[in-house]
């Protein structure tokens, strides 16, 4: 039906035919009729109107936003107004390297998340060249379960030296990972997490534009910022945790990205 589109794509000489679901809300709404009630919850259901649309919520469905158990004083949030857009990434290597060195100047365990593995590799190479004395770890592609566990185990609360881990936004270490207390002292999120420009994202953009929504926000901004919130959420895991978070992108100072930040992050400083 109109919630799907069929498209063909040629990749490396092979032809792929795909039935692509543009909008799952219709089927989810039909499925929900089989149940007396459902409860859907997440720490990243923001903005709520977008998620209500995508999960097929009816107008009469009940929504509740619960305040965070954490205090804004637990975060020390700064924004580094550097462009991480694709064409500016080469120029961003030195500013990001310097900002990372400042973040890890106090002994502890730190993570930095990048929007792509290539970008991660480029900054990793620059950082380790300038600051070889800092112990670093890098997420690899196709890591085994043992390698993942070894990566996380390195973030020990009693490390004798500073540790900086390089990882990918939306990857295995940016969600569902719990490093409480001094296992993690700071996080840098590089970029606003926008998915790579591509056919499917542009089809979603056109679909939601045609329905009176902001197609770019639905296809790119909201999914991207969800990754940012998940990565930043690795830092504060209990009511006693404290830490540093650096948001490295000038778009965090602009709408709509600025308004999509959690309330606890909005009292930020701007790093020159």
């Amino acid at each position: 039906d109109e919630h799907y589109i069929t498209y063909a794509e040629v990749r490396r000489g092979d032809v792929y035919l795909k039935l692509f679901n543009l909008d799952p809300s219709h089927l989810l709404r039909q499925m929900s009729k089989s149940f007396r009630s459902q409860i859907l919850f997440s720490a990243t259901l923001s903005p709520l109107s977008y998620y209500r649309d995508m999960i097929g919520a009816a107008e009469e469905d009940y929504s509740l936003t619960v305040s965070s158990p954490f205090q804004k004083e637990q975060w020390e949030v700064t924004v580094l107004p550097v462009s991480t857009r694709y064409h500016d990434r080469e120029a961003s290597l030195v500013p990001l390297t310097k900002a990372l060195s400042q973040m890890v100047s106090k002994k502890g365990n730190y993570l930095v998340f990048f929007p792509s593995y290539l970008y991660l590799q480029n900054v990793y190479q620059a950082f380790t060249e300038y600051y070889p004395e800092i112990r670093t770890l890098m997420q690899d592609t196709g890591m085994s379960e043992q390698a993942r566990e070894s990566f996380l185990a390195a973030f020990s609360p009693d490390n004798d030296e500073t540790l900086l881990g390089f990882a990918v936004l939306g990857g295995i270490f940016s969600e569902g990972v719990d490093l409480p207390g001094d296992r993690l002292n700071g996080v840098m999120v590089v970029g606003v997490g926008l998915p790579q420009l591509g056919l499917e994202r542009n089809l979603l953009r056109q679909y939601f534009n045609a329905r009176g929504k902001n197609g770019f926000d639905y296809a790119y901004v909201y999914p991207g910022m969800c990754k940012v919130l998940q990565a930043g959420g690795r830092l504060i895991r209990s009511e006693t945790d404290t830490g540093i978070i650096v948001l490295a992108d000038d778009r965090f100072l602009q709408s709509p990205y600025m308004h999509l930040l959690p309330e606890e992050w909005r009292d930020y400083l701007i790093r020159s």
Side-chain angles (χ1 to χ4, degrees):
D1 59 21
E2 70 275 11
H3 302 101
Y4 288 83
I5 193 167
T6 303
Y7 71 85
E9 186 178 21
V10 179
R11 283 182 275 165
R12 297 181 180 177
D14 292 323
V15 178
Y16 293 82
L17 188 66
K18 183 168 183 177
L19 180 63
F20 180 46
N21 180 218
L22 296 162
D23 182 0
S25 63
H26 175 68
L27 287 176
L28 291 172
R29 193 177 298 116
Q30 294 300 314
M31 179 272 295
S32 68
K33 293 178 181 178
S34 303
F35 299 90
R36 180 172 296 176
S37 65
Q38 306 178 75
I39 299 175
L40 302 95
F41 64 95
S42 173
T44 48
L45 288 176
S46 176
L48 194 55
S49 58
Y50 163 72
Y51 284 98
R52 284 179 61 90
D53 280 349
M54 298 307 291
I55 63 178
E59 187 174 343
E60 65 271 16
D61 288 338
Y62 186 67
S63 298
L64 177 66
T65 302
V66 181
S67 59
S68 169
F70 308 131
Q71 305 300 315
K72 64 180 181 179
E73 290 79 16
Q74 292 178 252
W75 281 273
E76 181 184 323
V77 185
T78 60
V79 174
L80 178 66
V82 61
S83 174
T84 69
R85 297 163 183 83
Y86 187 78
H87 58 273
D88 293 326
R89 289 184 177 177
E90 186 69 29
S92 72
L93 297 183
V94 171
L96 288 174
T97 298
K98 289 182 178 178
L100 283 170
S101 71
Q102 293 170 1
M103 183 176 75
V104 303
S105 59
K106 182 179 178 181
K107 194 186 86 168
N109 297 317
Y110 301 87
L111 275 170
V112 54
F113 295 96
F114 293 87
S116 77
Y117 189 67
L118 178 60
Y119 199 8
L120 179 157
Q121 288 179 306
N122 290 338
V123 177
Y124 180 85
Q125 184 176 350
F127 184 85
T128 53
E129 183 179 329
Y130 281 107
Y131 305 99
E133 72 280 6
I134 302 295
R135 182 188 175 200
T136 56
L137 287 175
M138 183 173 68
Q139 177 182 344
D140 203 355
T141 56
M143 295 179 77
S144 66
E145 187 65 31
Q146 184 178 358
R148 297 179 193 180
E149 292 178 1
S150 177
F151 185 99
L152 293 174
F155 289 82
S156 171
D158 53 1
N159 278 341
D160 293 330
E161 56 184 348
T162 291
L163 174 65
L164 175 59
F166 288 70
V168 178
L169 267 176
I172 54 176
F173 299 120
S174 67
E175 52 185 284
V177 169
D178 202 24
L179 297 171
D182 284 336
R183 292 194 67 190
L184 188 61
N185 305 104
V187 167
M188 179 185 288
V189 180
V190 178
V192 292
L194 298 187
Q196 186 174 354
L197 291 169
L199 174 63
E200 290 191 357
R201 288 289 150 185
N202 287 333
L203 289 172
L204 288 170
R205 181 179 183 176
Q206 294 167 13
Y207 174 86
F208 287 107
N209 276 339
R211 281 152 181 76
K213 310 290 185 182
N214 186 319
F216 183 76
D217 286 353
Y218 271 60
Y220 289 98
V221 174
Y222 297 150
M225 285 298 290
C226 181
K227 294 179 186 177
V228 171
L229 301 184
Q230 288 173 333
R234 299 311 96 211
L235 181 60
I236 303 300
R237 307 302 295 171
S238 77
E239 295 178 22
T240 58
D241 285 355
T242 59
I244 299 167
I245 182 165
V246 180
L247 304 173
D249 197 295
D250 54 15
R251 286 170 288 187
F252 287 117
L253 303 176
Q254 305 166 9
S255 294
Y257 309 97
M258 176 174 60
H259 301 297
L260 294 172
L261 295 175
E263 185 177 344
E264 296 83 10
W265 296 7
R266 294 182 189 175
D267 191 17
Y268 52 72
L269 299 174
I270 302 175
R271 180 176 292 177
S272 58

